[in-house]
Amino acid sequence: MAGRLNAAIAAEALQDHFGANSALESALMAAFDNGRNRICSVCAEVIDQNGSKGVVLQSGLFRVDSMEPDRGTTA
């Protein structure tokens, strides 16, 4: 069985890029659900780059051109 990996996304990223209109859990979860494919794609890219270490997805990562908009990751 593969080891676990810690990953998180900042509330600011969900607000800046995925439409969360507040920091309330319900708004953040809805934004995460709406952006799940893009979030998973960027997360996979960061994990590839950092040697499978944990990751916190900050807003700026979603502005980086080298982060593929869709690597075929599905929820």
Side-chain angles (χ1 to χ4, degrees):
M1 176 155 59
R4 295 190 75 151
L5 176 71
N6 288 321
I9 184 168
E12 179 182 85
L14 292 169
Q15 292 171 318
D16 290 349
H17 301 284
F18 300 101
N21 57 9
S22 76
L24 293 173
E25 182 179 357
S26 59
L28 296 174
M29 291 302 297
F32 180 85
D33 287 340
N34 289 334
R36 183 181 298 271
N37 287 340
R38 174 81 169 120
I39 293 164
C40 289
S41 178
V42 170
C43 187
E45 186 69 26
V46 172
I47 290 166
D48 286 348
Q49 292 177 7
N50 77 9
S52 299
K53 296 177 185 169
V55 61
V56 176
L57 301 174
Q58 301 291 339
S59 186
L61 284 173
F62 295 94
R63 294 185 195 109
V64 177
D65 287 338
S66 65
M67 294 295 170
E68 296 295 323
D70 185 6
R71 293 178 46 149
T73 304
T74 57

